[in-house]
Amino acid sequence: MAAQQNGTISFEVSDFLLNCFIRSSSWQLWLPLPLSLLFFLAMGANATLLITIRLETSLHEPMYYLLSFLSLLDIVLCLTVIPKVLAIFWFDFRSISFSACFLQMYIMNCFLGMESCTFMVMAYDRYVAICHPLRYASIITDQFVAKAAIFILARNIFMTLPIPILSARLYYCGRNVIENCICANISVSRISCDDVTINRLYQFAVGWTLLGSDLIVIFLSYAFILRAVLRLKAEGAVAKALSTCSSHFILILFFSTILLVFVLTHVAKKKVSPDVPILLNVLHHVVPAALNPIVYGLRAQEIKQGIERLLKKGGNKDSRN
């Protein structure tokens, strides 16, 4: 559709083109294979974890319900981002419609916020387990998990909804090439013909409000946990207490580290290649998702035993057939 602006004719675009790593062409050769492996690892590991928790009645506890919720979020995030990125690499399918682009933008912002909030609830779960063990069963109940899930959904669904709406309301004329592998809000709004100050301010405010508040609560929870653990005098109590929450801490470390490096590279964008933040943004949607269930499978003895029991049942059925 043509429009008159400042005496010249411009055309409103109907779709976008995603340009992946145009400044680092060598990345397009070696990145697809490890990215594919990470994607299939994330899908398989999270699916295995969900099936194990669903079928093993011994794992029907609040902590594992939270882990199931985290796995669901990881699966949705991977499916929202990685297949499109791989389609660009393998088949050069760079085109994406307006609606698909803004839907992807919304899911990425919303579900990353949900994942951060889930880590916060899991940190609180470990805080109660270590610092108030006698009250754990009365505080961390199935009702608590249900209320936490409603809070996670409501907070992130409504607070991130304006992000794609503000971007969709912008006027896009002439340029339709997004210098990114995904429909990130800043990358999309940058090619519009309108003022994007409100978009950037809201993205910044929501990002630091949601993720920042979650990280503060997580930090405080583990600070109290560490203080309580150091006061334990029983032999082996410190090692046991640290073991129960080490898995959570490792997962949060994976999630936060990539996010922190991504933010720092954006701040220092004049000193690093513009493709580096793009790479980190893509990896942030698949690396934590691939590592989360693996870390839990290795660290949580109950999950490891549950997987072994399911494999034995499957083996027994095959031998009978």
Side-chain angles (χ1 to χ4, degrees):
M1 183 174 65
Q4 190 81 18
Q5 281 196 345
N6 299 328
T8 62
I9 297 178
S10 60
F11 291 87
E12 186 174 0
V13 296
S14 58
D15 59 2
F16 295 119
L17 294 177
L18 296 167
N19 264 6
C20 275
F21 308 121
I22 56 173
R23 300 172 188 83
S24 306
S25 56
S26 61
W27 291 9
Q28 300 183 27
L29 299 177
W30 64 263
L31 187 58
L33 181 58
L35 195 62
S36 300
L37 294 176
L38 282 171
F39 172 70
F40 289 115
L41 176 61
M43 291 294 101
N46 281 288
T48 301
L49 195 61
L50 284 171
I51 293 171
T52 302
I53 294 174
R54 173 67 180 84
L55 297 180
E56 282 295 313
T57 54
S58 61
L59 299 178
H60 293 178
E61 298 178 3
M63 182 178 71
Y64 299 111
Y65 292 149
L66 291 172
L67 183 57
S68 298
F69 191 61
L70 184 65
S71 289
L72 284 173
L73 296 177
D74 284 334
I75 289 174
V76 173
L77 277 171
C78 276
L79 290 175
T80 302
V81 174
I82 305 304
K84 180 59 181 178
V85 175
L86 292 176
I88 295 172
F89 283 139
W90 294 117
F91 308 109
D92 199 32
F93 289 164
R94 298 186 300 132
S95 178
I96 185 170
S97 67
F98 265 40
S99 57
C101 185
F102 294 120
L103 178 61
Q104 185 191 66
M105 182 188 300
Y106 177 63
I107 293 175
M108 288 190 299
N109 284 279
C110 182
F111 278 68
L112 281 176
M114 287 184 188
E115 189 161 355
S116 173
C117 196
T118 303
F119 281 131
M120 179 187 68
V121 176
M122 292 169 71
Y124 177 74
D125 170 86
R126 291 300 85 198
Y127 161 76
V128 176
I130 301 297
C131 299
H132 304 283
L134 298 179
R135 298 175 56 198
Y136 180 80
S138 61
I139 296 175
I140 308 299
T141 61
D142 292 350
Q143 290 76 16
F144 169 83
V145 174
K147 291 177 181 178
I150 293 172
F151 170 73
I152 293 170
L153 290 168
R155 187 193 77 161
N156 293 282
I157 286 174
F158 292 110
M159 290 198 69
T160 59
L161 186 59
I163 294 175
I165 292 176
L166 288 171
S167 289
R169 292 178 67 249
L170 296 174
Y171 179 70
Y172 297 91
C173 56
R175 292 182 58 203
N176 70 332
V177 178
I178 301 171
E179 302 298 336
N180 206 330
C181 299
I182 57 180
C183 288
N185 177 37
I186 303 302
S187 299
V188 175
S189 59
R190 187 180 293 133
I191 65 173
S192 73
C193 304
D194 293 333
D195 181 24
V196 297
T197 303
I198 296 178
N199 293 62
R200 295 186 178 184
L201 287 176
Y202 190 82
Q203 176 86 59
F204 178 83
V206 168
W208 283 108
T209 299
L210 298 183
L211 303 183
S213 61
D214 292 345
L215 287 176
I216 290 173
V217 174
I218 290 170
F219 174 80
L220 291 175
S221 296
Y222 280 99
F224 286 127
I225 288 173
L226 182 60
R227 187 182 68 172
V229 166
L230 293 177
R231 290 178 177 177
L232 295 175
K233 297 180 180 180
E235 185 178 352
V238 173
K240 184 178 180 180
L242 290 176
S243 178
T244 59
C245 59
S246 59
S247 301
H248 297 261
F249 185 75
I250 292 171
L251 298 184
I252 293 167
L253 188 63
F254 285 139
F255 181 84
S256 303
T257 300
I258 297 180
L259 184 63
L260 179 61
V261 175
F262 172 64
V263 172
L264 291 177
T265 52
H266 259 296
V267 173
K269 56 185 177 182
K270 293 183 178 179
K271 299 181 180 180
V272 299
S273 169
D275 285 336
V276 173
I278 296 174
L279 175 64
L280 291 172
N281 205 351
V282 172
L283 292 178
H284 191 233
H285 291 83
V286 67
V287 172
L291 294 178
N292 287 352
I294 295 176
V295 170
Y296 261 99
L298 294 175
R299 297 293 303 171
Q301 193 67 23
E302 294 84 356
I303 293 179
K304 190 186 299 184
Q305 292 173 352
I307 294 175
E308 290 174 354
R309 283 193 292 268
L310 287 179
L311 291 176
K312 288 180 181 178
K313 289 179 183 178
N316 293 334
K317 289 181 180 179
D318 291 339
S319 62
R320 291 172 184 173
N321 295 334

